[in-house]
């Protein structure tokens, strides 16, 4: 499974999005607001899930973190940069 799909599956699982499939989440679409429509509570849950699954540190409430969480693609880039 690609990192993008792993992230999409993590979003679906950790946020209990039963009616959403990996194919429904666009890699470059916004996760919050108009895109997938996630909110700040979802962001916290997703942040914890990513931290746990990929063993990376995420700074809460930083502008950089908001940018990383914009889309699946930006999250994947962030995770890859933290792994190396």
């Amino acid at each position: 499974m690609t990192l993008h799909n792993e992230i999409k599956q993590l979003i679906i699982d950790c946020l209990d999005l039963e009616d959403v499939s990996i194919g429904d989440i666009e890699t470059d679409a916004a996760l919050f607001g108009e895109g997938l429509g996630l909110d700040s509570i979802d962001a916290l849950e997703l942040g914890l899930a990513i931290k746990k699954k990929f063993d990376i540190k995420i700074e809460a409430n930083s502008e950089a973190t908001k940018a990383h969480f914009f889309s699946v693609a930006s999250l994947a880039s962030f995770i890859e940069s933290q792994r190396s």
Side-chain angles (χ1 to χ4, degrees):
M1 188 181 280
T2 67
L3 181 56
H4 287 172
N5 284 346
E6 276 187 73
I7 293 168
K8 291 175 184 181
Q9 191 60 57
L10 187 67
I11 291 169
I12 292 165
D13 293 344
C14 89
L15 302 178
D16 295 323
L17 303 178
E18 294 162 1
D19 300 334
V20 178
S21 71
I22 286 176
D24 294 332
I25 302 174
E26 289 182 44
T27 302
D28 296 312
L31 294 173
F32 300 89
E34 290 179 19
L36 197 54
L38 303 183
D39 61 23
S40 57
I41 302 296
D42 296 330
L44 286 171
E45 288 187 30
L46 182 56
L48 287 171
I50 286 172
K51 199 172 171 180
K52 193 172 170 183
K53 181 172 176 69
F54 297 104
D55 193 30
I56 55 175
K57 290 183 179 165
I58 299 172
E59 281 185 52
N61 299 325
S62 79
E63 287 303 312
T65 300
K66 286 180 187 168
H68 297 318
F69 276 74
F70 177 76
S71 67
V72 170
S74 59
L75 268 174
S77 296
F78 172 65
I79 290 166
E80 285 171 350
S81 74
Q82 296 300 302
R83 284 176 158 174
S84 47

